[in-house]
């Protein structure tokens, strides 16, 4: 294999593909990037057996071939090369020479035959979406996925595709995030759960792009955006019956300025650290929310004006869970619906149903 191409372009592509590479595995090949030079095109692949990324670029191919190179070493080398072009040549003994300007490196590669084949999705369900819309929907839900859960399905985001409507839902046992949007879709209804890692890559790769295409199979999904294809397995299992969770009794409704509420929570959370964990105490009264915290470091009190209806009550919360939801609302005001000190609250837009966040309460100690 022998080719010449732009150093900067190859470096940028390798940096992207590297994110799909396994950082520690008993299979050396999946710690590398597969390079395939054929027909005037250089194709690069990264795959950690869960999420795969494949893309291609123009190159002057002088000798066709393929090799797997350690992803971290390759990216580090490309990032520091001095010349505008890079020459890469690999021989039959898998010795790979990388040269640019006066710099030259020699790496020992791995046979391309050792690299696992990426899954393909045949006769799947094609869905085309606006990139900015999907980025926003992922941003408003991905934070609520579970980090470690007995149910692996909760470590991903649930997609519900119906006639001209898309809903994304994420839960982690303590909170729920939902985002709804109207889309152009007339195929059959489809429900699937995509791992968090794959969606994180979609957010990074869709910046500046207009459209992303999804091809959904029974066990895998392929995202096509720009010159990249992201392949991911789908998560299996029984997802939480979230409809039951969001349809609980409501006894009070509060309309509040989002920015003012965020700033108040941030101020009163200054005393809450990993070493001094304590619930945030929120007292919902007539046209005011009183917020306070008490830890071994001291106490903090604040208040936020609001418009309220219904019962008054005191509820404790994990401050981070409240802030995570409020920071992605992108609305000047939100509605907070409360039921009781032991029931979750709902955070909604003042009009429509674009988003919904549910946060479970934390038991407060009686003073």
């Amino acid at each position: 294999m022998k080719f010449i191409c732009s150093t900067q372009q190859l470096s940028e592509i390798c940096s992207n593909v590297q994110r799909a590479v396994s950082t520690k595995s008993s299979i050396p090949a999946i710690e590398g990037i597969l390079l395939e030079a054929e027909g005037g095109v250089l194709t690069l692949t990264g795959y950690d057996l869960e999420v795969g990324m494949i893309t291609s670029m123009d190159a002057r191919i002088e000798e066709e071939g393929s090799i797997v190179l350690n992803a971290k070493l390759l990216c580090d080398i490309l990032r520091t090369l001095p010349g505008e072009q890079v020459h890469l040549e690999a021989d039959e003994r898998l010795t790979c020479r990388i040269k640019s300007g006066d710099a030259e490196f020699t790496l020992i590669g791995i046979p391309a035959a050792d690299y696992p084949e990426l899954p393909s999705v045949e006769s799947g369900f094609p869905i085309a979406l606006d990139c900015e819309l999907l980025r926003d929907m992922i941003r408003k839900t991905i934070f609520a996925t579970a980090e470690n859960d007995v149910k692996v399905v909760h470590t991903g985001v649930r997609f519900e595709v119906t006639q001209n409507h898309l809903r994304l839902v994420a839960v982690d046992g303590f909170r729920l995030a939902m985002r709804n949007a109207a889309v152009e879709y007339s195929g059959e209804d489809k429900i699937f759960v995509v791992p968090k890692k794959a969606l994180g890559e979609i957010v990074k790769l869709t910046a500046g792009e207009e459209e992303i295409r999804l091809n959904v199979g029974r066990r895998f999904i392929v995202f096509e955006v720009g010159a990249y294809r992201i392949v991911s397995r789908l998560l299996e299992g029984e997802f939480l019956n979230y409809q039951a969770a969001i349809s609980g009794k409501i006894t009070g409704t509060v309309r509040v300025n989002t920015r003012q509420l965020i700033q108040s929570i941030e101020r009163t959370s200054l005393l809450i650290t990993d070493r001094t964990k304590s619930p945030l105490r929120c007292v919902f009264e007539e046209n005011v929310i009183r917020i306070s915290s008490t830890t071994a470091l001291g106490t903090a009190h604040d208040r936020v004006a609001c418009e309220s209806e219904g019962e008054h009550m005191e509820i404790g919360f994990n401050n981070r869970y409240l802030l995570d939801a409020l920071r992605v609302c992108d609305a000047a005001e939100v509605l907070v619906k409360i039921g009781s000190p032991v029931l979750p609250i709902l955070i909604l837009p003042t009009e429509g149903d674009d988003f919904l966040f549910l946060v479970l309460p934390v038991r407060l100690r009686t003073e």
Side-chain angles (χ1 to χ4, degrees), residues 67-355:
I67 194 171
V68 178
L69 297 176
N70 181 275
K72 185 179 186 306
L73 277 175
L74 179 60
C75 289
D76 288 345
I77 289 170
L78 291 171
R79 200 177 297 118
T80 60
L81 290 179
E84 292 184 1
Q85 287 192 321
V86 57
H87 299 242
L88 192 147
E89 180 178 357
D91 61 24
E92 295 176 353
R93 293 176 297 176
L94 302 175
T95 301
C96 181
R97 292 179 176 83
I98 302 171
K99 186 174 181 179
S100 179
D102 294 326
E104 183 172 345
F105 294 83
T106 301
L107 296 180
I108 303 302
I110 298 172
D114 292 355
Y115 203 81
E117 184 178 354
L118 267 68
S120 60
V121 176
E122 303 294 340
S123 63
F125 294 85
I127 305 168
L129 298 172
D130 177 81
C131 276
E132 279 305 308
L133 173 63
L134 184 59
R135 280 166 57 87
D136 182 72
M137 297 185 76
I138 293 172
R139 186 176 65 90
K140 283 185 168 64
T141 51
I142 196 171
F143 68 89
T145 54
E147 293 296 330
N148 295 292
D149 200 298
V150 175
K151 283 192 169 184
V152 178
V153 70
H154 290 155
T155 61
V157 176
R158 175 181 167 110
F159 282 60
E160 298 178 6
V161 190
T162 57
Q163 291 291 315
N164 296 322
H165 186 265
L166 174 62
R167 169 177 289 173
L168 269 60
V169 184
V171 297
D172 70 356
F174 303 98
R175 54 187 171 171
L176 175 149
M178 179 192 298
R179 176 74 163 86
N180 295 296
V183 297
E184 292 185 9
Y185 177 73
S186 57
E188 68 176 79
D189 295 355
K190 190 72 175 170
I191 296 175
F192 51 93
V193 181
V194 183
K196 178 179 183 177
K197 179 179 178 179
L199 295 177
E201 295 307 321
I202 296 304
V203 170
K204 294 170 186 173
L205 291 174
T206 50
E209 299 289 343
E210 294 184 359
E211 185 181 78
I212 181 168
R213 297 186 63 82
L214 287 63
N215 194 23
V216 188
R218 189 174 65 86
R219 295 180 56 206
F220 295 93
I221 183 170
V222 177
F223 297 87
E224 296 183 12
V225 53
Y228 289 85
R229 282 194 301 132
I230 308 296
V231 181
S232 173
R233 65 184 178 91
L234 297 175
L235 298 179
E236 298 179 353
E238 186 177 351
F239 203 83
L240 176 75
N241 179 12
Y242 65 87
Q243 291 289 358
I246 65 177
S247 58
K249 182 179 70 171
I250 300 298
T251 60
T253 302
V254 176
R255 182 177 181 136
V256 62
N257 180 281
T258 311
R259 174 47 49 188
Q260 290 177 8
L261 182 56
I262 290 173
Q263 291 173 342
S264 180
I265 295 173
E266 288 175 339
R267 282 192 292 270
T268 48
S269 296
L270 291 173
L271 301 179
I272 303 173
T273 67
D274 289 339
R275 296 183 61 184
T276 59
K277 291 182 179 180
S278 179
L280 196 72
R281 190 180 295 265
C282 297
V283 182
F284 297 90
E285 297 180 340
E286 185 175 357
N287 296 330
V288 68
I289 306 172
R290 291 193 290 113
I291 303 172
S292 63
S293 66
T294 301
T295 73
L297 299 175
T299 61
H301 297 269
D302 201 6
R303 56 192 292 155
V304 182
C306 66
E307 298 176 13
S308 60
E309 296 179 357
E311 294 185 14
H312 300 171
M313 67 185 67
E314 183 178 54
I315 311 178
F317 296 103
N318 179 303
N319 62 310
R320 184 170 64 85
Y321 292 167
L322 277 180
L323 287 172
D324 285 347
L326 291 167
R327 283 170 177 161
V328 298
C329 283
D330 295 336
E333 292 184 323
V334 292
L335 294 180
V336 180
K337 295 190 175 184
I338 55 179
S340 83
V342 296
L343 291 176
I345 64 164
L346 301 179
I347 301 173
L348 304 156
T350 54
E351 295 181 2
D353 64 348
D354 281 0
F355 60 80

Side-chain angles (χ1 to χ4, degrees), residues 15-47:
S15 294
N16 287 333
V17 173
Q18 184 187 17
R19 295 198 299 268
V21 172
S22 177
T23 54
K24 189 176 182 181
S25 171
S26 58
I27 307 172
I30 64 172
E31 293 184 10
I33 293 175
L34 172 64
L35 293 88
E36 299 173 288
E38 184 178 1
V41 173
L42 176 65
T43 302
L44 298 96
T45 305
Y47 182 40

